[in-house]
DNA sequence: CCGAGTAACTTACTACGAGTAAGTTCCAGC
DNA sequence: GCTGGAACTTACTCGTAGTAAGTTACTCGG
């Protein structure tokens, strides 16, 4: 009976426990209804607590949303980074990274909803955090790209940036598309196709 | 003295004229402050008209935003499509399309702000319109990709979709990056790099 | 010129959600 | 048991989306 709905005899808890409880509820509700569609009153009611308490702990709606973001982002980033690092060479790393990305999103659909809504916050203070996440990813990609270049060659940083941004954008859009598509191709198929599309071009970079 | 601020002796106009006037103001204000940062009262005040009139003409805030979107989207789509169609072969078409895209966005920065905020509306009825825009682009890209394939070969529609989605995502993210970067590379450079990155891979598609 | 009829427009609201001020209740340690 | 602080609440303010109901100005037939 200890399901998601909380039982009445809920008393005071220490701050850390409450914060966790609030965060979990927020993650769930943001995931279901999006940022706009979620009101602080909703979250408060779900936790069985009053609104000002949430404000005391998280400062603002953005603050709460950011906290959700940070957690999910960390998980996703770690997953992908691990897959990339575990690969024996650049070619495999590329595929492994894509695969890890699409698989994670398949396995954590509600996490992804939050992260997508993240993109929605072009305005607001959440935008900065959003950019940080993406910057981390792009840094990872850029590192991979550079790994793939012969050591002696001069590196055109603009080109590396362009490539990294492109890959980041492509994977994001593909992820969104897959959640919406009626019968999306498997993570393996998408990762493979992407890999095929990009691999040759990455070599071109190196010989330019 | 007929600057952007309107002179007091502003009287009744017929509906079409007012709609245009409202749309222009909305486009400007949305472009400056984003969707969230713009209130209907702001727009009303700017036009020198009362809020309910805007509601009568555009139905809702989303409706007004959508109307802005539709116009800008149309311009952008036409520009890119023209460039693509004018190219003598697939390779040039790809480059020309990219170039037209990035140039347009350089030349219409406020238009782009609106289109970026567009992305922000994952929630709300604007999302549908957004998807339509993107679908149009993706259709254009998919057509180009198919043009590039030998006629006899069987076409894997999933792969074409994946590639088209990737390109769409890449160009969007690059556009956003360029507006934020301190010293973004020229449209030519970005278009060329993208072209280099993708061209080989598109051939791979055909021989798979 | 003149009185409808209607399109253009306004005033004055409601509803709801973010954020806050000022408490009240419960538990720890003395 | 009493006091101090952390956990928590009630009861607001303020801003903005959206609306109901009315008012003003143009127009067209007589």
């Amino acid at each position: 009976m200890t399901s998601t709905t909380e039982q009445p005899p809920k008393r005071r808890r220490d701050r850390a426990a409450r914060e966790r409880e609030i965060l979990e509820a927020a993650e769930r509700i943001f995931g279901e209804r999006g940022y706009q569609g979620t009101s602080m009153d909703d979250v408060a009611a779900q936790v069985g607590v009053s609104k000002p308490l949430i404000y005391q702990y998280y400062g603002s709606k953005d603050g709460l949303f950011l906290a959700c973001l940070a957690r999910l982002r960390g998980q996703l980033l770690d997953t992908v980074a691990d897959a990339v690092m575990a690969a024996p060479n650049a070619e495999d790393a590329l595929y492994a990274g894509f695969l890890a990305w699409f698989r994670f999103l398949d396995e954590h659909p509600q996490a992804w909803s939050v992260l997508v809504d993240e993109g929605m916050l072009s305005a607001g203070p959440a935008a900065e955090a959003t950019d940080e996440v993406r910057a981390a990813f792009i840094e990872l990609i850029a590192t991979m790209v550079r790994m793939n270049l012969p050591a002696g060659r001069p590196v055109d940083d603009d080109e590396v940036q362009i490539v990294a941004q492109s890959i980041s954008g492509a994977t994001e859009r593909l992820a969104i598309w897959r959640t919406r598509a009626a019968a999306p191709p498997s993570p393996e198929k998408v990762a493979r196709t992407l890999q095929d599309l990009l691999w040759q071009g990455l070599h071109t970079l190196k010989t330019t």
Side-chain angles (χ1 to χ4, degrees), chain A residues 80-103:
Chain A
V80 174
D82 286 353
V84 166
M85 296 315 173
N89 57 56
E91 187 166 4
D92 287 348
L94 196 64
Y95 176 77
F98 292 149
L99 189 58
W101 165 274
F102 291 113
R103 276 199 180 144

Side-chain angles (χ1 to χ4, degrees), chain A residues 173-191:
Chain A
R173 172 121 319 276
L174 282 170
I176 294 170
W177 169 63
R178 285 189 75 245
T179 65
R180 301 222 227 275
S186 68
E188 288 78 10
K189 167 106 189 186
V190 178

Side-chain angles (χ1 to χ4, degrees), chain A residues 60-75:
Chain A
S60 66
K61 189 180 181 183
D62 277 338
L64 179 59
F65 189 72
L66 248 64
C68 296
L69 224 59
R71 239 179 54 143
L72 298 170
R73 163 235 299 188
Q75 289 175 26

Side-chain angles (χ1 to χ4, degrees), chain A residues 46-170:
Chain A
Q46 186 77 35
V47 181
V49 96
S50 72
K51 196 169 48 164
L53 193 70
I54 304 183
Y55 275 91
Q56 194 173 323
Y57 290 167
Y58 289 99
S60 66
K61 189 180 181 183
D62 277 338
L64 179 59
F65 189 72
L66 248 64
C68 296
L69 224 59
R71 239 179 54 143
L72 298 170
R73 163 235 299 188
Q75 289 175 26
L76 179 54
L77 200 59
D78 288 352
T79 304
V80 174
D82 286 353
V84 166
M85 296 315 173
N89 57 56
E91 187 166 4
D92 287 348
L94 196 64
Y95 176 77
F98 292 149
L99 189 58
W101 165 274
F102 291 113
R103 276 199 180 144
F104 182 93
L105 300 176
D106 269 4
E107 286 156 17
H108 303 74
Q110 86 183 12
W112 178 237
S113 298
V114 175
L115 290 166
V116 165
D117 258 1
E118 159 207 24
M120 138 198 170
L121 291 176
S122 318
E128 297 154 28
T130 285
D131 286 347
E132 278 171 36
V133 188
R134 244 191 287 265
F137 259 104
I138 286 168
E139 204 35 60
L140 175 64
I141 297 168
T143 303
M144 281 180 51
V145 171
R146 273 188 255 261
M147 265 173 51
N148 189 39
L149 296 172
R153 295 241 172 221
V155 180
D156 182 333
D157 273 326
D158 275 347
E159 287 197 2
V160 173
Q161 269 295 304
I162 291 168
V163 169
Q165 297 281 347
S166 300
I167 294 176
S168 160

